[in-house]
Amino acid sequence: MEWAVFEGHAEFGAATFEGAAMFRSAIFKGDAGFEPATFEGDVRFNSAVFEGDAKFWSVTFKGDAVFRSATFKGDAGFALATFTSGALFPSAVFEGDAWFDSALFQEYTGFNSATFEGAAMFESATFEGAARFRSATLKGDAKFWSVTFKGTAEFESATFEGDAWFRSATFEGAAVFESATFAGDATFESATFEGNAMFWAANFKLEVTFESAVFGEVARFDCAVFESDAEFWPVTFQRDATFISTVFEGSALFRSANFEGAAVFESATFAGDATFESAIFVQADSFGPFVCAGRVVLSSARFDSPVTLSCAARRLECRRTRWSSTAEIRLRYTSVDFAHAVFEYPLTIAAEQDPFRGTGGRPLAEGLMPSASGPGVRVVSLHGVDAAHLVLADLDLTECLFTGTVHLDQLRLDGACTFDTAPSGVRWRGRLPVHFTARHVLAEEHHWRAGQSGVAQGWKAAGPGVRRAGPLQLAPVYRALRKAYEDSKHEPGAADFYYGEMEMRRHSEAIPRGEKWLLNAYWALSGYGLRASRALAWLGLAMLLTIILMMAFGIAQDDPKQTATGTVPAGGGKVTFEIDKDDPQNPSGDRFTGERFEKAVNVTLNSVVFRSSGQDLTTAGTYIEMASRVSEPVLLGLGILAIRNRVKR
């Protein structure tokens, strides 16, 4: 029946074709009904044209069924059909809907370069041999729900212009979607990939979901492009999952994903958020480097093996993240939230000075990152962390929240870690000027002071949702950081944290009043033994006051003269004299003379070093000297102590 033309409906009903059936270039102007025919031998519909519906429902093809370059202008129904041998539809054109629901393909199947202009329905179909859809074009929706591919499923360079549904599909062999294009939504929900899953250079233009999918072998998405959101949760990767040079232009969701093999995101680019919340990394020894213009969310994730995480990201959230082995986190451009993270082995968070290098040693493009903020790394919270094994290197800690951190005294700070500073210079507290000396302070002290009434200008208020700590909570934090700096032999840095600790103690309402008075005096006189200029200024003022008081009241009017009195016996003999000295007289004349100034300076300078001046002083001068010999050496000692605290190593 080659070259035959069927003007009306062609009905072959339950016919049985025992030999080869040749319908090459046949034209069916009406409907063509072959249901439920049986083809015992090969059947050829090469270049056949079906202008009506083609009905092959429940048909059995025991030989090869070849529909090369066939054209189906109406619907093509192959539902429940059985292809015992090969089923070949290369370059076939389906202008209507193509129905292959529950069809059974027992040998190789070929739809290479086929065109489906309507819907392609393969629900519950079974491909026991290789299924080839290379370069096929599916313009309508492609429904492969619950399909079973027992052999290789090849969709290389295929184009899905409508939605592609592979929900609950099972790929027992390799699934090859290399260079495939998905113009509509792509759904692989609950799909099972028992063989390798190859999505090299695939292009997903709309949303794609692999929700609850299972990858039993290697899953490769290298160089793939996700132009919209990509959902991989809660996906299980039982072997390696590679996303080398992959581009995610929307959000990438790997929430609760299970990476049992390597998780390779080298040179990947995330234009939106990359969410790995509650993900499990069993053997991921390297994670990155990659670039993320949004957030990288690792909250509640778990790393079971040693790992190096490298990324340039706007923000890294590691809240309640668990690290079960050693880890190194190297970052650029990133704000890090490490609150309540759990780790029992050494963990390092460090800023990377140079751009990361990815595939082939090429630097990663960082055009998505904000240039204004610079490549520095900022830690915003260590609340609830056990810092016994934590190392911070070259980080910006100006916004970091430390309250609630355990074993903070064992924290190791390497490189140029920077803290916030107190407002420096003269500031106004209401109408009164206040002078501040620059020192390192915690962000929480800024928040607390900014919330007080009558606060001086320059203190930074807490952001929305930030819990504000008080002096009682901040004093032990400063104490622990001071010890951490002292253990690292960074004495000048430790001095600033000692000052902060004393400030918090002085402002705390929980200390006794007598101790508070003592702390206020210690602060006012020498800045807790850390402000040499303050102590020396008080010393100079005390010396000046001593000089003035000595000139006014302490130096006698004249030096007292010694006199000798006695009685000479009439007949001569032994004479006894009593030598006495006049009491110093209070000055009555000009008290502020050069001579009296010189004497007052001599008395004052000797008082500073606990020496007696040897001057004849009035009674008032004696008491003035006594007070000077007590107070001024103390002020000198405080000044020396402050200098020592700033220069010792």
Side-chain angles (χ1 to χ4, degrees):
M1 288 181 283
E2 297 182 71
W3 309 98
V5 177
F6 298 88
E7 296 290 345
H9 295 312
E11 297 290 343
F12 293 88
T16 298
F17 298 84
E18 296 183 356
M22 301 299 176
F23 290 87
R24 292 193 185 100
S25 301
I27 299 176
F28 298 86
K29 293 184 176 291
D31 294 343
F34 289 87
E35 52 188 354
T38 299
F39 294 88
E40 297 285 346
D42 295 341
V43 58
R44 299 286 190 271
F45 284 88
N46 299 345
S47 301
V49 177
F50 297 85
E51 296 185 0
D53 293 341
K55 301 175 182 179
F56 289 87
W57 292 61
S58 301
V59 171
T60 299
F61 298 90
K62 294 186 177 181
D64 289 344
V66 183
F67 290 81
R68 180 178 285 110
S69 300
T71 301
F72 299 86
K73 295 187 176 182
D75 292 343
F78 289 86
L80 299 172
T82 299
F83 296 86
T84 304
S85 188
L88 301 176
F89 293 82
S91 301
V93 177
F94 298 86
E95 297 183 5
D97 295 339
W99 299 81
F100 289 87
D101 298 344
S102 300
L104 175 60
F105 301 87
Q106 294 183 341
E107 294 290 341
Y108 52 88
T109 305
F111 287 88
N112 296 340
S113 300
T115 300
F116 296 84
E117 297 185 1
M121 317 290 286
F122 287 86
E123 295 181 35
S124 300
T126 300
F127 296 85
E128 296 185 354
R132 297 185 175 92
F133 289 81
R134 293 177 181 171
S135 301
T137 300
L138 300 96
K139 296 184 178 181
D141 291 345
K143 297 182 178 180
F144 289 84
W145 288 340
S146 301
V147 171
T148 299
F149 297 92
K150 295 187 176 182
T152 303
E154 299 180 6
F155 289 86
E156 184 177 350
S157 300
T159 301
F160 297 86
E161 297 185 5
D163 294 340
W165 299 82
F166 287 86
R167 180 179 296 159
S168 300
T170 300
F171 299 85
E172 296 184 7
V176 182
F177 288 85
E178 184 176 350
S179 300
T181 299
F182 297 85
D185 294 338
T187 303
F188 291 85
E189 181 180 344
S190 299
T192 300
F193 298 85
E194 297 181 6
N196 294 333
M198 305 300 180
F199 288 85
W200 289 322
N203 189 351
F204 300 89
K205 295 184 177 295
L206 295 182
E207 292 186 5
V208 55
T209 176
F210 287 86
E211 183 177 348
S212 300
V214 176
F215 294 86
E217 292 293 333
V218 175
R220 307 204 65 170
F221 290 84
D222 304 343
C223 300
V225 177
F226 296 87
E227 298 185 15
S228 188
D229 295 344
E231 299 181 2
F232 287 84
W233 61 281
V235 172
T236 299
F237 298 95
Q238 296 178 350
R239 296 289 297 276
D240 296 349
T242 66
F243 292 82
I244 301 174
S245 300
T246 304
V247 176
F248 297 88
E249 297 183 3
S251 298
L253 286 86
F254 290 85
R255 185 180 294 118
S256 300
N258 188 358
F259 296 89
E260 297 181 7
V264 183
F265 286 82
E266 183 179 341
S267 302
T269 301
F270 298 87
D273 293 342
T275 302
F276 295 87
E277 184 177 358
S278 300
I280 299 175
F281 300 86
V282 179
Q283 299 180 9
D285 59 345
S286 178
F287 189 46
F290 57 83
V291 175
C292 179
R295 299 178 304 154
V296 177
V297 181
L298 287 169
S299 298
S300 299
R302 193 182 80 203
F303 291 85
D304 292 341
S305 62
V307 63
T308 299
L309 190 159
S310 307
C311 70
R314 181 173 59 85
R315 183 178 178 88
L316 174 63
E317 295 183 4
C318 293
R319 302 177 67 88
R320 300 176 301 280
T321 305
R322 179 177 293 273
W323 315 81
S324 299
S325 188
T326 57
E328 182 179 14
I329 304 175
R330 308 200 67 83
L331 305 168
R332 288 172 58 82
Y333 295 96
T334 312
S335 294
V336 183
D337 185 350
F338 224 67
H340 301 287
V342 178
F343 46 92
E344 301 177 0
Y345 296 89
L347 186 146
T348 301
I349 305 176
E352 187 71 18
Q353 303 301 320
D354 300 320
F356 294 112
R357 294 186 178 273
T359 306
R362 296 187 299 272
L364 267 63
E366 297 178 341
L368 295 175
M369 308 311 299
S371 58
S373 61
V377 179
R378 301 158 296 283
V379 180
V380 298
S381 180
L382 291 175
H383 180 72
V385 170
D386 187 341
H389 302 285
L390 182 60
V391 179
L392 305 180
D394 299 316
L395 302 181
D396 182 354
L397 302 174
T398 57
E399 301 176 11
C400 186
L401 304 179
F402 286 96
T403 54
T405 305
V406 182
H407 295 141
L408 190 56
D409 58 321
Q410 300 179 40
L411 174 68
R412 180 177 171 183
L413 300 171
D414 288 345
C417 288
T418 59
F419 289 84
D420 208 342
T421 58
S424 59
V426 178
R427 303 282 176 160
W428 290 93
R429 180 183 293 162
R431 296 184 178 181
L432 297 177
V434 181
H435 181 270
F436 288 99
T437 302
R439 64 178 174 91
H440 294 313
V441 300
L442 300 181
E444 286 114 323
E445 182 178 347
H446 267 279
H447 302 162
W448 171 74
R449 289 186 180 272
Q452 302 300 301
S453 59
V455 64
Q457 298 174 345
W459 296 102
K460 303 172 185 176
V466 177
R467 186 176 64 88
R468 197 172 64 189
L472 191 62
Q473 293 79 32
L474 291 177
V477 175
Y478 273 115
R479 187 181 306 116
L481 287 173
R482 171 178 62 83
K483 184 178 183 301
Y485 264 98
E486 288 175 345
D487 291 344
S488 63
K489 307 303 180 182
H490 191 338
E491 297 295 345
D496 275 356
F497 290 116
Y498 173 72
Y499 192 101
E501 175 191 354
M502 299 299 288
E503 276 288 272
M504 295 301 99
R505 288 181 57 193
R506 183 169 71 91
H507 288 286
S508 175
E509 299 296 333
I511 64 173
R513 181 174 299 180
E515 183 180 346
K516 179 170 288 192
W517 278 104
L518 182 61
L519 289 175
N520 278 310
Y522 194 21
W523 165 76
L525 292 177
S526 64
Y528 311 112
L530 295 173
R531 299 293 183 260
S533 58
R534 190 179 306 180
L536 295 177
W538 279 111
L539 176 60
L541 182 62
M543 292 174 64
L544 178 61
L545 179 62
T546 301
I547 291 173
I548 294 175
L549 291 177
M550 282 293 179
M551 293 176 66
F553 307 106
I555 304 298
Q557 177 71 28
D558 296 306
D559 292 335
K561 297 181 175 60
Q562 292 182 337
T563 58
T565 59
T567 303
V568 179
K574 184 178 180 179
V575 179
T576 300
F577 292 95
E578 181 180 332
I579 300 176
D580 198 4
K581 187 176 183 179
D582 295 338
D583 292 334
Q585 300 297 312
N586 290 324
S588 57
D590 189 0
R591 305 183 183 191
F592 297 96
T593 64
E595 181 182 357
R596 292 175 63 81
F597 174 75
E598 182 180 354
K599 292 181 178 181
V601 169
N602 186 34
V603 171
T604 302
L605 292 178
N606 280 282
S607 297
V608 172
V609 292
F610 290 105
R611 293 179 57 191
S612 174
S613 63
Q615 297 285 338
D616 292 312
L617 303 176
T618 64
T619 301
T622 301
Y623 286 107
I624 293 172
E625 184 185 37
M626 291 172 59
S628 176
R629 291 177 67 180
V630 171
S631 60
E632 291 172 5
V634 172
L635 294 173
L636 177 62
L638 291 175
I640 295 173
L641 175 65
I643 295 174
R644 171 59 177 161
N645 285 334
R646 284 300 180 182
V647 300
K648 70 179 180 179
R649 291 292 185 268

